Amino acid sequence: MRADRLVAALLVMQARGRVTAAELAAELEVSVATARRDLEALSSAGVPVYPQAGRGGGWRLVGRGRTDLSGLTAAEARALFLLVGPAASGSAEVRAALRKLVRALPETFREGARAAADAVVVDVAGWGGVGRVRPGLVGVLEEAVVGRRRVVLVYEGRGRVRSERVVEPWGLVDKDEVWYLVAGTGGGERTFRVDRVVSARVTDEVFERPEGFDLGVAWGRVVSEVERRRSSVSAVVSVESRFVRVLRAQFGRHCEVVSEVEGRSRVRLSATTALMIAQVLAGWGGLVEVVESEEVRVELARLGAELVALHGR
């Protein structure tokens, strides 16, 4: 969890005063790019962490070169706790870290820090939905990622075919409540959905993550490829301009306004198949007209005929 790392990064800097991104990465067992982003996040939040260029440079927690948390101002302490506080509600470890951090602050700052930590609650459940439950295997895989241990996965792929494979877990990604494992395999870099992992056994075999590997960059490649596949079919529709925001909510980045004239917009919608576009548009009734894509028009007509046959009586 990123909040854990931010607290840990600050404590490392408290102890050392100055670190390079590489040193912090080694300490926290993350990539250099991730360590640099965490340092930039602390700096952006108002914590007095600044980069120093040149030989002997790095990142420094200002205030007598080496400092403890009493070097933070009241505003800086509040900024730090506003940054990491929301994550504490779901993690006993983060709550414990924040309590220790509060005790390390000057007494006059503590009340403000506590108030900042409690100021924001993040509720990830949609209206009418239930709270997110982290898959149990995420914790197992997380330990393997941090410990650089190979894992024997039993994985259920397409067609529910199960296979066993040994992987090197390089990182985990939580995207819209679905967890993914980015790992090295005998066939190169692969991505696995954690909810399709039947079992995971961590071995004693240690591996080295590829030099220069950046989880954010690797995941960006995965997202780009998935989005490319998801946008292989498109249609242009005509709709009142006031409804474009609703279409955008349904199709996300696969909704592009082509033109707008006198209160109506032409919008290009994309998806993996014509049927997927038609299934969404069917709920709009006569509010949306397909002006380009015979495939989508055919699918809409077929869906309409099915509905009439089933409910027309």
Side-chain angles (χ1 to χ4, degrees):
M1 186 180 293
R2 193 183 189 211
D4 297 27
R5 295 200 315 270
L6 292 174
V7 173
L10 185 59
L11 293 176
V12 169
M13 297 200 73
Q14 173 195 347
R16 299 187 184 180
R18 184 196 68 80
V19 295
T20 65
E23 290 169 344
L24 184 63
E27 184 75 28
L28 302 184
E29 296 186 325
V30 296
S31 71
V32 174
T34 297
R36 189 175 294 112
R37 283 195 295 269
D38 287 347
L39 289 164
E40 290 169 351
L42 288 171
S43 181
S44 298
V47 179
V49 176
Y50 298 98
Q52 292 184 324
R55 189 167 183 173
W59 289 77
R60 187 175 296 278
L61 182 64
V62 299
R64 300 188 312 279
R66 291 174 65 86
T67 184
D68 57 19
L69 290 181
S70 62
L72 296 176
T73 67
E76 291 161 352
R78 285 197 300 272
L80 173 66
F81 279 78
L82 279 169
L83 185 67
V84 300
S89 59
S91 169
E93 291 82 2
V94 177
R95 287 196 298 272
L98 289 179
R99 285 195 297 269
K100 293 175 183 176
L101 213 51
V102 167
R103 290 196 294 269
L105 289 169
E107 187 172 353
T108 54
F109 292 0
R110 292 176 190 171
E111 189 57 38
R114 289 193 188 97
D118 295 335
V120 177
V121 169
V122 178
D123 183 359
V124 296
W127 292 111
V130 296
R132 296 174 58 178
V133 178
R134 195 169 89 150
L137 284 175
V138 169
V140 175
L141 295 171
E142 212 169 45
E143 290 296 323
V145 170
V146 174
R148 301 286 191 266
R149 303 283 180 175
R150 289 190 176 91
V151 176
V152 179
L153 292 184
V154 175
Y155 190 72
E156 190 170 87
R158 293 174 182 170
R160 297 190 175 181
V161 176
R162 293 186 179 185
S163 61
E164 183 177 281
R165 60 193 80 189
V166 179
V167 305
E168 297 178 352
W170 294 347
L172 287 159
V173 176
D174 176 9
K175 183 173 177 65
D176 195 23
E177 302 188 30
V178 179
W179 285 83
Y180 298 86
L181 172 70
V182 179
T185 72
E189 182 180 312
R190 294 288 185 272
T191 303
F192 303 93
R193 280 184 57 138
V194 174
D195 57 5
R196 292 181 182 171
V197 176
V198 179
S199 65
R201 178 173 58 84
V202 182
T203 72
D204 293 328
E205 299 176 27
V206 179
F207 67 89
E208 289 293 329
R209 203 158 71 165
E211 186 175 353
F213 174 81
D214 185 299
L215 181 59
V217 173
W219 180 248
R221 290 194 297 267
V222 173
V223 171
S224 296
E225 175 59 22
V226 171
E227 295 292 1
R228 184 189 65 77
R229 277 188 256 147
R230 290 179 64 185
S231 59
S232 55
V233 175
S234 66
V236 176
V237 303
S238 176
V239 64
E240 288 186 44
S241 298
R242 62 195 177 102
F243 292 131
V244 169
R245 62 181 182 83
V246 184
L247 276 175
R248 187 167 285 126
Q250 291 179 320
F251 286 89
R253 69 177 70 185
H254 302 298
C255 173
E256 176 192 0
V257 176
V258 177
S259 64
E260 183 177 357
V261 179
E262 297 180 351
R264 288 195 70 83
S265 295
R266 289 203 167 195
V267 182
R268 177 173 285 105
L269 306 174
S270 302
T272 308
T273 65
L275 176 59
M276 291 176 67
I277 298 176
Q279 285 171 328
V280 177
L281 296 183
W284 285 77
L287 292 175
V288 174
E289 178 190 0
V290 178
V291 295
E292 288 182 25
S293 180
E294 185 62 25
E295 285 182 283
V296 173
R297 281 197 291 265
V298 168
E299 291 291 357
L300 275 171
R302 185 179 61 78
L303 290 172
E306 286 182 2
L307 290 172
V308 170
L310 185 62
H311 302 289
R313 295 187 299 275

